[in-house]
Amino acid sequence: MIRRHGLARITAAAVAALMAAAPLPADPAQRIVSVGGSVTEIVYALGQQDRLVARDTTSNHPPEALALPDIGYVRRLSAEGVLSVNPDLILAEDGAGPPEVLELLNETQIPVATVPMGFDRAAVLAKITAVADALGVPEDGAKLAGEVAAAIDTAVAETDLGGKKVLFVLALQGGRVLAGGENTAADGILTLTGAENAVDGFAGYKLLTDEAILTAAPDVILMMDASGTRHISDKDLFAIPAIAATPAARSGAILRMDGMLLLGFSVRTGQAITELSEKLDRIGS
């Protein structure tokens, strides 16, 4: 049985066997695997979804994408899972992996188009251009990029949050807060909405000390609206004394949004800016 999740250790002979069953590559590609929720959203927005044969776990929008085979989490792919759907093109966000699997896929000579990541307006447009070029529809890409740019510009122009301080909490680990600093999707979307990231001085996601949380003194705490083991309840959040002492906790200013909408930096970024700014405006009124 072919495993679809986790890091796969497969031999060159196994790869050869899987490839022997694959059809000859089409030109243009007609059996595409999309890796990364933002990439999948762009494929659908370009009207090219009929060419998709599989997607990764983060590709949860639009809802129709969920009907496609799931070949695993974007950073924990298995070569077996990808090859099992006989793709003739792999569209992958920069940072997909693990590297060993991508190296193995490159050895199969299946084209792998890497889509650049980034957390601002320019990055969204670059993603759209890269996906459209890989799909052979650059004119459609230029049109979509123009529409998305206009939506982002309109959303940004309509925000007025007065520098409200927001702490983005990605997860709780061992009773500590994993928060988003600079050069993260969380920081990028806060910047576009005109809100202030309550933490600075570090890049990426970092576990905060109690002192750092108290110094940050966020007006609002923002999280993804996750389910299952990834869900962070208010009870779990307020069990951390430093969080309970923040202005956000004292006023009950806790927000949750769909993670892919909030952090995806794809075709819905204008919508994300508008929704987040409206929620932030209401919660402070």
Side-chain angles (χ1 to χ4, degrees), residues 2 16 18 29 37 43 51 56 60 71 75 81 110 157 166 168 178 185-186 199 207 224-225 236 256 265 276 281:
I2 292 176
L18 283 164
V43 173
R51 297 160 68 183
D56 80 305
N60 57 19
I71 47 87
R75 293 183 179 84
I110 299 172
V166 181
F168 177 78
L178 184 63
V199 293
L207 289 170
M224 292 187 294
D225 189 9
D236 291 338
R256 294 177 176 83
F265 279 85
L276 177 57
D281 185 60

Side-chain angles (χ1 to χ4, degrees), residues 140-212:
D140 293 340
K143 179 181 178 182
L144 178 61
E147 293 170 351
V148 171
I152 292 174
D153 291 343
T154 298
V156 169
E158 293 176 349
T159 63
D160 182 18
L161 295 171
K164 189 170 293 186
K165 294 172 64 178
V166 181
L167 176 65
F168 177 78
V169 176
L170 179 64
L172 301 181
Q173 296 181 2
R176 297 178 64 186
V177 169
L178 184 63
E182 300 167 3
N183 195 31
T184 62
D187 187 70
I189 198 68
L190 290 175
T191 298
L192 286 173
T193 60
E196 177 185 346
N197 192 339
V199 293
D200 58 18
F202 67 91
Y205 293 93
K206 179 180 177 180
L207 289 170
L208 300 183
T209 64
D210 289 348
E211 181 182 3

Side-chain angles (χ1 to χ4, degrees), residues 14 19 45-46 57 59 73 121 134 163 165 177 193 204 224 244:
M19 291 307 297
L46 289 168
T57 303
S59 297
Y73 180 65
R121 177 185 185 275
K165 294 172 64 178
V177 169
T193 60
M224 292 187 294

